[in-house]
Every structure is written in structure tokens, then in C-alpha cells.
């Protein structure tokens, strides 16, 4: 069975999402949002999350899907696991942030 591995940049972004949501709408809402996000990560392993290939202009191979107000970028790792690369808010400049998080 494939595992989901949250990579460093994604972990940082998820922490930011939690803090922002908690400060703005409270800890219960932040907990619910992050729990839903991680449940969706797990659904990648079963193929029940509709993902599309990352556009060529990003310069990397991987996939993206939308979770509420965020875009989740992920890739298949060499061992077959799922690597969550980053999670970006819909209002962020996607290419610039994505390249920072992928290290390109």
C-alpha cells in the first residue's frame, strides 16, 4: 500500500494554513480544515481524488488538485509513495511559489 509523505515545503505551508485559519476563524475550524486536507491526501492513494498533470510551464512532473481554497501539488515518489510537495492558496502566484517549493 502506498503511503503519503508530506514534504518539507508542504509541511511549512500547512502550518501557515493552520495558523491563519485558527487566528481568523478559530481552532475548531482550523482543525476541521486540516483534517479534511489530510483525509484528501489519503484518497490520492486510492485514485479517488481527481488530479490533473501539472502544467508544463512549471517544469516538473506531478499532479495538482483543488481542495476548497487551496491547490495541492503532489508527485509519485520513486518508491511508489505519494509526495505532497506543496499546498498553495488560490490567490497566491502559483508558478513563483511552486518553483520555490520544488526548488527549481
Amino acid at each position: 500500500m502506498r503511503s503519503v509523505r508530506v514534504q518539507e515545503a508542504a509541511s511549512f505551508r500547512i502550518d501557515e494554513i493552520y495558523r491563519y485559519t485558527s487566528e481568523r476563524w478559530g481552532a475548531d475550524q482550523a482543525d476541521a480544515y486540516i483534517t479534511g486536507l489530510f483525509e484528501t491526501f489519503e484518497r490520492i492513494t486510492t485514485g479517488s481524488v481527481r488530479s490533473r498533470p501539472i502544467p508544463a510551464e512549471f517544469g516538473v512532473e506531478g499532479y495538482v488538485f483543488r481542495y476548497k481554497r487551496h491547490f495541492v501539488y503532489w508527485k509519485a515518489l520513486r518508491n511508489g509513495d505519494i509526495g505532497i510537495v506543496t499546498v498553495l492558496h488560490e490567490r497566491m502566484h502559483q508558478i513563483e511559489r511552486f518553483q520555490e517549493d520544488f526548488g527549481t
Side-chain angles (χ1 to χ4, degrees):
M1 182 174 183
R2 299 187 325 176
S3 296
V4 174
R5 302 194 183 277
V6 178
Q7 298 180 331
E8 186 176 350
S11 181
F12 175 77
R13 301 281 183 207
I14 292 166
D15 287 348
E16 286 181 326
I17 293 166
Y18 184 87
R19 280 192 301 276
Y20 178 83
T21 304
S22 182
E23 290 170 5
R24 184 120 178 164
W25 292 287
D28 289 344
Q29 181 65 31
D31 289 343
Y33 195 87
I34 298 301
T35 297
L37 186 62
F38 274 86
E39 288 170 352
T40 305
F41 293 168
E42 290 299 324
R43 290 181 32 230
I44 296 170
T45 65
T46 64
S48 62
V49 173
R50 293 185 67 165
S51 299
R52 52 183 207 270
I54 294 173
E57 62 264 21
F58 283 75
V60 297
E61 289 188 34
Y63 302 90
V64 61
F65 68 89
R66 186 181 184 115
Y67 176 78
K68 298 186 181 188
R69 301 279 184 177
H70 289 86
F71 290 99
V72 176
Y73 294 90
W74 64 275
K75 64 182 178 179
L77 301 175
R78 287 190 180 114
N79 68 356
D81 288 345
I82 301 299
I84 305 298
V85 177
T86 194
V87 181
L88 301 176
H89 191 274
E90 65 189 2
R91 292 186 182 165
M92 289 181 169
H93 187 271
Q94 298 292 305
I95 293 175
E96 180 181 303
R97 296 290 176 107
F98 179 83
Q99 289 172 335
E100 286 173 13
D101 291 348
F102 257 93
T104 58

Tab-separated table of all heavy atoms in Angstrom, residues 52-91:
chain	number	residue	atom	x	y	z
A	52	ARG	N	-5.001	16.527	-11.991
A	52	ARG	CA	-4.582	16.706	-13.385
A	52	ARG	C	-3.075	16.947	-13.401
A	52	ARG	O	-2.499	17.385	-12.399
A	52	ARG	CB	-5.344	17.832	-14.053
A	52	ARG	CG	-5.345	19.134	-13.345
A	52	ARG	CD	-6.209	20.175	-14.076
A	52	ARG	NE	-5.700	21.480	-13.781
A	52	ARG	CZ	-6.104	22.218	-12.763
A	52	ARG	NH1	-7.054	21.794	-11.969
A	52	ARG	NH2	-5.560	23.388	-12.546
A	53	PRO	N	-2.449	16.638	-14.520
A	53	PRO	CA	-0.995	16.852	-14.596
A	53	PRO	C	-0.647	18.330	-14.373
A	53	PRO	O	-1.393	19.224	-14.777
A	53	PRO	CB	-0.636	16.422	-16.014
A	53	PRO	CG	-1.752	15.532	-16.441
A	53	PRO	CD	-2.982	16.052	-15.746
A	54	ILE	N	0.486	18.564	-13.731
A	54	ILE	CA	0.971	19.933	-13.538
A	54	ILE	C	1.310	20.502	-14.912
A	54	ILE	O	1.954	19.830	-15.720
A	54	ILE	CB	2.201	19.946	-12.615
A	54	ILE	CG1	1.788	19.502	-11.211
A	54	ILE	CG2	2.850	21.329	-12.576
A	54	ILE	CD1	2.945	19.311	-10.253
A	55	PRO	N	0.897	21.742	-15.180
A	55	PRO	CA	1.196	22.347	-16.485
A	55	PRO	C	2.695	22.358	-16.791
A	55	PRO	O	3.528	22.517	-15.895
A	55	PRO	CB	0.661	23.773	-16.342
A	55	PRO	CG	-0.393	23.672	-15.288
A	55	PRO	CD	0.105	22.623	-14.329
A	56	ALA	N	3.016	22.187	-18.054
A	56	ALA	CA	4.411	22.085	-18.497
A	56	ALA	C	5.258	23.289	-18.093
A	56	ALA	O	6.452	23.147	-17.823
A	56	ALA	CB	4.462	21.896	-20.011
A	57	GLU	N	4.658	24.478	-18.025
A	57	GLU	CA	5.448	25.673	-17.696
A	57	GLU	C	6.031	25.634	-16.286
A	57	GLU	O	6.927	26.392	-15.956
A	57	GLU	CB	4.652	26.959	-17.917
A	57	GLU	CG	3.422	27.122	-17.091
A	57	GLU	CD	2.148	26.692	-17.815
A	57	GLU	OE1	2.210	25.922	-18.786
A	57	GLU	OE2	1.077	27.121	-17.380
A	58	PHE	N	5.546	24.738	-15.437
A	58	PHE	CA	6.114	24.599	-14.097
A	58	PHE	C	7.446	23.858	-14.135
A	58	PHE	O	8.233	23.939	-13.208
A	58	PHE	CB	5.136	23.867	-13.171
A	58	PHE	CG	4.008	24.726	-12.685
A	58	PHE	CD1	2.950	25.062	-13.507
A	58	PHE	CD2	4.005	25.211	-11.393
A	58	PHE	CE1	1.909	25.848	-13.055
A	58	PHE	CE2	2.969	26.003	-10.929
A	58	PHE	CZ	1.922	26.327	-11.767
A	59	GLY	N	7.676	23.085	-15.187
A	59	GLY	CA	8.962	22.431	-15.365
A	59	GLY	C	9.209	21.204	-14.502
A	59	GLY	O	10.359	20.816	-14.308
A	60	VAL	N	8.163	20.604	-13.954
A	60	VAL	CA	8.304	19.387	-13.150
A	60	VAL	C	7.169	18.425	-13.489
A	60	VAL	O	6.136	18.823	-14.012
A	60	VAL	CB	8.274	19.682	-11.632
A	60	VAL	CG1	9.436	20.541	-11.218
A	60	VAL	CG2	6.974	20.302	-11.226
A	61	GLU	N	7.398	17.167	-13.154
A	61	GLU	CA	6.341	16.179	-13.343
A	61	GLU	C	5.602	15.997	-12.029
A	61	GLU	O	6.213	15.870	-10.975
A	61	GLU	CB	6.936	14.856	-13.795
A	61	GLU	CG	7.460	14.903	-15.212
A	61	GLU	CD	7.877	13.545	-15.706
A	61	GLU	OE1	7.242	12.548	-15.328
A	61	GLU	OE2	8.852	13.505	-16.465
A	62	GLY	N	4.304	15.993	-12.109
A	62	GLY	CA	3.484	15.806	-10.924
A	62	GLY	C	2.041	16.116	-11.245
A	62	GLY	O	1.661	16.235	-12.419
A	63	TYR	N	1.261	16.264	-10.196
A	63	TYR	CA	-0.178	16.447	-10.346
A	63	TYR	C	-0.675	17.540	-9.406
A	63	TYR	O	-0.016	17.874	-8.424
A	63	TYR	CB	-0.904	15.135	-10.043
A	63	TYR	CG	-0.439	14.026	-10.941
A	63	TYR	CD1	0.640	13.220	-10.568
A	63	TYR	CD2	-1.034	13.811	-12.170
A	63	TYR	CE1	1.086	12.212	-11.401
A	63	TYR	CE2	-0.586	12.809	-13.013
A	63	TYR	CZ	0.472	12.023	-12.621
A	63	TYR	OH	0.919	11.041	-13.464
A	64	VAL	N	-1.861	18.027	-9.710
A	64	VAL	CA	-2.469	19.064	-8.889
A	64	VAL	C	-3.966	18.803	-8.782
A	64	VAL	O	-4.586	18.292	-9.712
A	64	VAL	CB	-2.189	20.480	-9.471
A	64	VAL	CG1	-2.770	20.628	-10.870
A	64	VAL	CG2	-2.696	21.561	-8.543
A	65	PHE	N	-4.510	19.112	-7.615
A	65	PHE	CA	-5.959	19.115	-7.437
A	65	PHE	C	-6.316	20.248	-6.492
A	65	PHE	O	-5.463	20.786	-5.785
A	65	PHE	CB	-6.489	17.766	-6.921
A	65	PHE	CG	-6.078	17.419	-5.515
A	65	PHE	CD1	-6.834	17.809	-4.429
A	65	PHE	CD2	-4.927	16.675	-5.285
A	65	PHE	CE1	-6.454	17.482	-3.132
A	65	PHE	CE2	-4.546	16.327	-4.009
A	65	PHE	CZ	-5.313	16.740	-2.923
A	66	ARG	N	-7.579	20.586	-6.501
A	66	ARG	CA	-8.055	21.675	-5.657
A	66	ARG	C	-8.740	21.096	-4.425
A	66	ARG	O	-9.557	20.193	-4.528
A	66	ARG	CB	-9.034	22.543	-6.443
A	66	ARG	CG	-9.454	23.767	-5.698
A	66	ARG	CD	-10.453	24.559	-6.543
A	66	ARG	NE	-10.763	25.777	-5.847
A	66	ARG	CZ	-10.466	26.980	-6.273
A	66	ARG	NH1	-9.864	27.135	-7.432
A	66	ARG	NH2	-10.778	28.038	-5.579
A	67	TYR	N	-8.391	21.650	-3.271
A	67	TYR	CA	-9.093	21.349	-2.027
A	67	TYR	C	-9.602	22.674	-1.478
A	67	TYR	O	-8.803	23.512	-1.036
A	67	TYR	CB	-8.172	20.672	-1.002
A	67	TYR	CG	-8.858	20.449	0.326
A	67	TYR	CD1	-9.754	19.402	0.492
A	67	TYR	CD2	-8.652	21.314	1.385
A	67	TYR	CE1	-10.413	19.212	1.687
A	67	TYR	CE2	-9.302	21.133	2.590
A	67	TYR	CZ	-10.190	20.087	2.738
A	67	TYR	OH	-10.852	19.903	3.924
A	68	LYS	N	-10.878	22.887	-1.577
A	68	LYS	CA	-11.525	24.127	-1.158
A	68	LYS	C	-10.804	25.337	-1.746
A	68	LYS	O	-10.871	25.556	-2.942
A	68	LYS	CB	-11.665	24.182	0.357
A	68	LYS	CG	-12.539	23.053	0.884
A	68	LYS	CD	-12.809	23.165	2.344
A	68	LYS	CE	-13.673	21.986	2.789
A	68	LYS	NZ	-14.119	22.120	4.146
A	69	ARG	N	-10.080	26.119	-0.942
A	69	ARG	CA	-9.412	27.340	-1.424
A	69	ARG	C	-7.931	27.146	-1.735
A	69	ARG	O	-7.209	28.118	-1.934
A	69	ARG	CB	-9.536	28.459	-0.384
A	69	ARG	CG	-10.933	28.850	-0.031
A	69	ARG	CD	-11.463	29.755	-1.062
A	69	ARG	NE	-12.792	30.221	-0.687
A	69	ARG	CZ	-13.465	31.071	-1.391
A	69	ARG	NH1	-12.945	31.552	-2.498
A	69	ARG	NH2	-14.653	31.443	-1.016
A	70	HIS	N	-7.482	25.893	-1.754
A	70	HIS	CA	-6.063	25.611	-1.965
A	70	HIS	C	-5.843	24.647	-3.118
A	70	HIS	O	-6.692	23.815	-3.411
A	70	HIS	CB	-5.443	25.030	-0.689
A	70	HIS	CG	-5.325	26.044	0.390
A	70	HIS	ND1	-6.349	26.322	1.259
A	70	HIS	CD2	-4.309	26.872	0.720
A	70	HIS	CE1	-5.966	27.291	2.085
A	70	HIS	NE2	-4.725	27.637	1.779
A	71	PHE	N	-4.679	24.769	-3.728
A	71	PHE	CA	-4.228	23.818	-4.732
A	71	PHE	C	-3.163	22.945	-4.084
A	71	PHE	O	-2.234	23.456	-3.459
A	71	PHE	CB	-3.652	24.527	-5.962
A	71	PHE	CG	-4.704	25.227	-6.769
A	71	PHE	CD1	-4.903	26.592	-6.628
A	71	PHE	CD2	-5.497	24.520	-7.656
A	71	PHE	CE1	-5.875	27.243	-7.362
A	71	PHE	CE2	-6.476	25.165	-8.403
A	71	PHE	CZ	-6.668	26.529	-8.263
A	72	VAL	N	-3.315	21.635	-4.234
A	72	VAL	CA	-2.372	20.671	-3.673
A	72	VAL	C	-1.558	20.109	-4.827
A	72	VAL	O	-2.115	19.569	-5.784
A	72	VAL	CB	-3.103	19.539	-2.938
A	72	VAL	CG1	-2.113	18.496	-2.433
A	72	VAL	CG2	-3.945	20.097	-1.790
A	73	TYR	N	-0.251	20.239	-4.724
A	73	TYR	CA	0.678	19.718	-5.733
A	73	TYR	C	1.357	18.480	-5.159
A	73	TYR	O	1.879	18.519	-4.041
A	73	TYR	CB	1.725	20.768	-6.094
A	73	TYR	CG	1.127	21.962	-6.791
A	73	TYR	CD1	0.673	23.058	-6.067
A	73	TYR	CD2	1.001	21.980	-8.172
A	73	TYR	CE1	0.108	24.152	-6.717
A	73	TYR	CE2	0.445	23.074	-8.824
A	73	TYR	CZ	-0.001	24.153	-8.088
A	73	TYR	OH	-0.558	25.227	-8.735
A	74	TRP	N	1.331	17.399	-5.934
A	74	TRP	CA	1.914	16.152	-5.458
A	74	TRP	C	2.599	15.421	-6.598
A	74	TRP	O	2.402	15.741	-7.759
A	74	TRP	CB	0.861	15.263	-4.795
A	74	TRP	CG	-0.229	14.768	-5.701
A	74	TRP	CD1	-1.375	15.419	-6.045
A	74	TRP	CD2	-0.275	13.509	-6.371
A	74	TRP	NE1	-2.130	14.644	-6.881
A	74	TRP	CE2	-1.483	13.464	-7.096
A	74	TRP	CE3	0.587	12.424	-6.424
A	74	TRP	CZ2	-1.840	12.359	-7.865
A	74	TRP	CZ3	0.229	11.321	-7.191
A	74	TRP	CH2	-0.978	11.297	-7.892
A	75	LYS	N	3.423	14.451	-6.210
A	75	LYS	CA	4.108	13.638	-7.214
A	75	LYS	C	4.253	12.222	-6.684
A	75	LYS	O	4.216	11.977	-5.473
A	75	LYS	CB	5.480	14.216	-7.560
A	75	LYS	CG	6.469	14.233	-6.405
A	75	LYS	CD	7.779	14.856	-6.835
A	75	LYS	CE	8.769	14.912	-5.668
A	75	LYS	NZ	10.045	15.490	-6.086
A	76	ALA	N	4.409	11.293	-7.616
A	76	ALA	CA	4.696	9.913	-7.246
A	76	ALA	C	6.189	9.831	-6.941
A	76	ALA	O	7.018	10.271	-7.735
A	76	ALA	CB	4.322	8.979	-8.377
A	77	LEU	N	6.529	9.302	-5.789
A	77	LEU	CA	7.925	9.151	-5.399
A	77	LEU	C	8.494	7.861	-5.995
A	77	LEU	O	7.748	6.983	-6.426
A	77	LEU	CB	8.044	9.144	-3.873
A	77	LEU	CG	7.508	10.402	-3.173
A	77	LEU	CD1	7.570	10.236	-1.661
A	77	LEU	CD2	8.259	11.646	-3.623
A	78	ARG	N	9.794	7.752	-6.020
A	78	ARG	CA	10.455	6.588	-6.637
A	78	ARG	C	9.985	5.253	-6.060
A	78	ARG	O	9.899	4.260	-6.752
A	78	ARG	CB	11.971	6.701	-6.500
A	78	ARG	CG	12.553	7.738	-7.412
A	78	ARG	CD	14.077	7.664	-7.424
A	78	ARG	NE	14.587	8.681	-8.312
A	78	ARG	CZ	15.307	9.716	-7.930
A	78	ARG	NH1	15.616	9.866	-6.652
A	78	ARG	NH2	15.725	10.605	-8.804
A	79	ASN	N	9.691	5.246	-4.766
A	79	ASN	CA	9.257	4.001	-4.128
A	79	ASN	C	7.760	3.743	-4.281
A	79	ASN	O	7.231	2.794	-3.712
A	79	ASN	CB	9.650	3.995	-2.647
A	79	ASN	CG	8.889	5.022	-1.841
A	79	ASN	OD1	8.101	5.806	-2.365
A	79	ASN	ND2	9.140	5.033	-0.546
A	80	GLY	N	7.073	4.616	-5.025
A	80	GLY	CA	5.641	4.447	-5.255
A	80	GLY	C	4.756	5.217	-4.302
A	80	GLY	O	3.543	5.278	-4.498
A	81	ASP	N	5.345	5.782	-3.242
A	81	ASP	CA	4.555	6.590	-2.318
A	81	ASP	C	4.141	7.901	-2.977
A	81	ASP	O	4.646	8.269	-4.036
A	81	ASP	CB	5.351	6.891	-1.043
A	81	ASP	CG	5.521	5.675	-0.142
A	81	ASP	OD1	4.804	4.668	-0.349
A	81	ASP	OD2	6.367	5.739	0.768
A	82	ILE	N	3.243	8.600	-2.322
A	82	ILE	CA	2.771	9.901	-2.784
A	82	ILE	C	3.502	10.981	-2.001
A	82	ILE	O	3.509	10.958	-0.767
A	82	ILE	CB	1.251	10.053	-2.548
A	82	ILE	CG1	0.470	8.960	-3.278
A	82	ILE	CG2	0.770	11.447	-2.932
A	82	ILE	CD1	0.619	8.949	-4.765
A	83	GLY	N	4.107	11.926	-2.696
A	83	GLY	CA	4.793	13.047	-2.056
A	83	GLY	C	3.966	14.309	-2.216
A	83	GLY	O	3.741	14.766	-3.342
A	84	ILE	N	3.479	14.853	-1.104
A	84	ILE	CA	2.761	16.132	-1.138
A	84	ILE	C	3.846	17.201	-1.155
A	84	ILE	O	4.577	17.391	-0.186
A	84	ILE	CB	1.837	16.311	0.083
A	84	ILE	CG1	0.860	15.143	0.213
A	84	ILE	CG2	1.116	17.651	0.005
A	84	ILE	CD1	-0.094	14.965	-0.949
A	85	VAL	N	3.963	17.896	-2.283
A	85	VAL	CA	5.065	18.839	-2.469
A	85	VAL	C	4.737	20.187	-1.851
A	85	VAL	O	5.542	20.767	-1.130
A	85	VAL	CB	5.409	18.993	-3.960
A	85	VAL	CG1	6.514	20.025	-4.160
A	85	VAL	CG2	5.819	17.652	-4.538
A	86	THR	N	3.554	20.704	-2.139
A	86	THR	CA	3.175	21.989	-1.573
A	86	THR	C	1.669	22.158	-1.636
A	86	THR	O	0.978	21.461	-2.375
A	86	THR	CB	3.906	23.160	-2.263
A	86	THR	OG1	3.756	24.346	-1.461
A	86	THR	CG2	3.389	23.414	-3.657
A	87	VAL	N	1.179	23.095	-0.841
A	87	VAL	CA	-0.239	23.439	-0.799
A	87	VAL	C	-0.307	24.957	-0.870
A	87	VAL	O	0.210	25.643	0.016
A	87	VAL	CB	-0.900	22.935	0.507
A	87	VAL	CG1	-2.376	23.279	0.526
A	87	VAL	CG2	-0.665	21.443	0.700
A	88	LEU	N	-0.908	25.475	-1.930
A	88	LEU	CA	-0.915	26.917	-2.164
A	88	LEU	C	-2.334	27.465	-2.244
A	88	LEU	O	-3.201	26.865	-2.886
A	88	LEU	CB	-0.170	27.244	-3.463
A	88	LEU	CG	1.289	26.792	-3.531
A	88	LEU	CD1	1.867	27.103	-4.898
A	88	LEU	CD2	2.108	27.432	-2.431
A	89	HIS	N	-2.543	28.606	-1.619
A	89	HIS	CA	-3.844	29.264	-1.665
A	89	HIS	C	-4.142	29.716	-3.084
A	89	HIS	O	-3.236	30.098	-3.831
A	89	HIS	CB	-3.874	30.461	-0.705
A	89	HIS	CG	-5.241	31.010	-0.501
A	89	HIS	ND1	-5.787	31.950	-1.335
A	89	HIS	CD2	-6.180	30.709	0.432
A	89	HIS	CE1	-7.016	32.230	-0.912
A	89	HIS	NE2	-7.273	31.490	0.155
A	90	GLU	N	-5.403	29.712	-3.443
A	90	GLU	CA	-5.807	30.073	-4.801
A	90	GLU	C	-5.387	31.484	-5.198
A	90	GLU	O	-5.223	31.760	-6.380
A	90	GLU	CB	-7.326	29.925	-4.955
A	90	GLU	CG	-8.116	30.890	-4.098
A	90	GLU	CD	-9.608	30.617	-4.088
A	90	GLU	OE1	-10.057	29.638	-4.721
A	90	GLU	OE2	-10.332	31.389	-3.432
A	91	ARG	N	-5.185	32.365	-4.254
A	91	ARG	CA	-4.802	33.745	-4.565
A	91	ARG	C	-3.298	33.950	-4.700
A	91	ARG	O	-2.849	35.022	-5.072
A	91	ARG	CB	-5.350	34.691	-3.509
A	91	ARG	CG	-6.846	34.795	-3.546
A	91	ARG	CD	-7.331	35.843	-2.598
A	91	ARG	NE	-8.789	35.890	-2.610
A	91	ARG	CZ	-9.507	36.484	-1.703
A	91	ARG	NH1	-8.907	37.090	-0.693
A	91	ARG	NH2	-10.812	36.482	-1.790
